[in-house]
Amino acid sequence: MDASKFVIAGGGMVAGYAAKQFVELGLKPGELTILSGDHVVPYERPPLSKGFLAGRDTEESILINPEGFYRQHGIELRLNCQITGVDIVRRLLSLGPAAEFGFDKLILATGSQLRKLKIPGAELANVFYLRSLDDSKTIRQHAEGVKRAVVIGGGFIGMEVASVLAQKGIEVTMLFPEERIWKQFFSPEMSRFFEEYYTARGVRFLPGATVQELRGEGAVRSVVVGDGRIIEAEMVVAGIGVRPATDFLAGSALEVADGVMVNEYLESSATGILAAGDLANYQDVLFQKRRRAEHWDNAVSQGQHCARLLMGERKPFVHVPYFFSDVFDLSYEFWGDASLADQTVSRGDLHTRSFSVWWLRASVVVAAFVMSRPDEEREVAPKWIETKQIVSASKLAGPDSILAARPNLA
């Protein structure tokens, strides 16, 4: 039976960045094995709905490490590998009906699974979901020659895909059940800005809409919404969320609840087994709450943390949640946790493409959104969140340098 000192279950971004960190910390050849369900070496996920989908990035350019990196450093990378179970007592992973793989230390990083439409017509051709490199390639190829498309979902994946398709000259309609775009994250003023920006670039919005049926002969031709309206479309892209890929852990005795439950070190309930990325439901020591994050930076940082911990550096995972997005000619960044806020303050003009939004709780900065603002705003945002900086809301909203919002500089 094959075995390895360190095993990463999953071949996504956690694996790619953990492997790089292991090597930097002196990993010896033969000590690490990556068991990947993909057929491609680990690659970056953000370009799949941005640059790669638009045709600006190549497959090679989005690889986390060059293909030869793993061989060069004695890392075994098994592709097309299906993990079906974990035996935490015998320290074994089940690979299909007969094969097993042994481990000393294990990083669970199988990511998440797409939520799919469960309505009549969902099985029609040209109904797409975006999770993998193959998904992005398929959507990109099919978009050539398409005149009308429907994007279902008003979150960041839906917004990014709609932006790319609209820039290809496709008539795009966005459907989502909320009354405004990305209600879970954007303030009303932010939603209004982005809705106006998209509308000016040809995207049509149908807020408060639920999809009842997809129609077509073999391939989708129209979308029926709850009030009976019919929207013609030659392709549909659904971005309706994901769930952690934990099915293979059934019966393993690991604690699972909306992901694998881990502590502030990313350690599971079983000794020597960690979890990272979309799969990990971890104890966030900065915000004193449990969190499961589905963003690029989380996977990168947690993969690196797991490698450091397994190589002997025992420190809690302390990290300010972060993500970024590119839509049309806009780029923005977000840090923190806005759900904790009791006050929102903006800088700049929310009617223009240059503004920032700051979320406060008892005058402490807990989250920040920054788009086309001075560099100092980007620089202080994560620092202030991590250090729990108290600010003056009135000065934060003023025209002076953002540093003037700190009381000790007032």
Side-chain angles (χ1 to χ4, degrees), residues 293-313:
E294 299 168 356
H295 293 295
W296 169 84
D297 189 61
N298 182 69
V300 172
S301 299
Q302 291 192 343
Q304 294 167 334
H305 172 87
C306 287
R308 291 194 300 268
L309 188 140
L310 293 179
M311 293 295 278
E313 180 186 288

Side-chain angles (χ1 to χ4, degrees), residues 47-372:
L48 302 185
S49 55
K50 303 179 182 72
F52 185 82
L53 185 61
R56 296 189 300 272
D57 296 330
T58 65
E59 290 187 46
E60 185 177 2
S61 71
I62 68 172
L63 298 182
I64 296 169
N65 305 302
E67 193 164 350
F69 167 88
Y70 305 93
R71 183 173 55 255
Q72 176 186 350
H73 294 287
I75 298 170
E76 183 178 5
L77 174 57
R78 295 193 181 187
L79 303 177
N80 300 305
C81 189
Q82 188 66 35
I83 302 171
T84 57
V86 180
D87 187 328
I88 64 175
V89 176
R90 297 170 59 218
R91 317 299 280 180
L92 294 174
L93 291 166
S94 299
L95 308 179
E100 293 180 322
F101 198 98
F103 62 87
D104 182 15
K105 306 291 184 180
L106 174 65
I107 302 173
L108 296 170
T110 50
S112 51
Q113 295 176 320
L114 289 163
R115 297 187 185 277
K116 296 193 173 184
L117 297 169
K118 297 180 180 180
I119 56 174
E123 74 289 347
L124 289 170
N126 303 338
V127 177
F128 304 108
Y129 302 86
L130 179 54
R131 182 65 184 165
S132 68
L133 177 62
D134 284 348
D135 294 335
S136 187
K137 288 169 64 175
T138 301
I139 295 171
R140 186 172 74 177
Q141 292 165 2
H142 188 76
E144 301 301 324
V146 167
K147 294 182 178 179
R148 294 174 295 271
V150 165
V151 174
I152 302 172
F156 78 96
I157 290 294
M159 291 183 68
E160 290 177 354
V161 170
S163 165
V164 171
L165 296 180
Q167 290 178 86
K168 292 179 178 289
I170 299 172
E171 294 179 17
V172 180
T173 300
M174 289 191 71
L175 310 176
F176 44 89
E178 299 82 12
E179 66 268 22
R180 55 185 176 84
I181 194 93
W182 209 355
K183 181 181 178 181
Q184 296 89 337
F185 165 58
F186 286 158
S187 68
E189 295 79 12
M190 294 167 69
S191 292
R192 187 177 308 115
F193 166 82
F194 281 100
E195 288 172 5
E196 292 175 354
Y197 204 86
Y198 272 59
T199 300
R201 285 150 184 80
V203 178
R204 176 190 179 199
F205 287 95
L206 286 186
T210 56
V211 181
Q212 299 298 307
E213 181 183 359
L214 304 180
R215 293 179 180 174
E217 295 294 331
V220 67
R221 287 292 178 265
S222 63
V223 178
V224 182
V225 297
D227 60 6
R229 281 179 290 179
I230 298 175
I231 298 95
E232 294 185 357
E234 296 101 68
M235 69 181 294
V236 170
V237 182
I240 55 175
V242 297
R243 66 178 184 86
T246 57
D247 292 349
F248 75 104
L249 297 174
S252 69
L254 285 171
E255 186 178 358
V256 176
D258 185 33
V260 177
M261 303 295 283
V262 294
N263 62 15
E264 67 271 28
Y265 298 95
L266 304 186
E267 298 168 321
S268 75
S269 55
T271 302
I273 299 180
L274 289 70
D278 292 11
L279 193 71
N281 188 319
Y282 71 99
Q283 181 62 33
D284 186 334
V285 298
L286 277 181
F287 289 95
Q288 295 297 304
K289 62 183 285 189
R290 298 208 66 86
R291 183 184 307 281
R292 190 177 67 79
E294 299 168 356
H295 293 295
W296 169 84
D297 189 61
N298 182 69
V300 172
S301 299
Q302 291 192 343
Q304 294 167 334
H305 172 87
C306 287
R308 291 194 300 268
L309 188 140
L310 293 179
M311 293 295 278
E313 180 186 288
R314 185 167 179 79
K315 294 181 179 179
F317 178 69
V318 180
H319 183 67
V320 177
Y322 167 83
F323 73 86
F324 70 96
S325 185
D326 301 319
V327 292
F328 291 105
D329 54 350
L330 302 176
S331 294
Y332 63 80
E333 297 173 277
F334 174 84
W335 298 264
D337 185 342
S339 69
L340 305 172
D342 56 27
Q343 186 177 12
T344 304
V345 178
S346 62
R347 292 176 61 82
D349 185 351
L350 270 76
H351 294 92
T352 72
R353 52 186 294 162
S354 173
F355 62 86
S356 60
V357 179
W358 303 76
W359 287 265
L360 313 178
R361 181 178 178 84
S363 297
V364 173
V365 178
V366 293
F369 167 102
V370 179
M371 182 170 69
S372 300

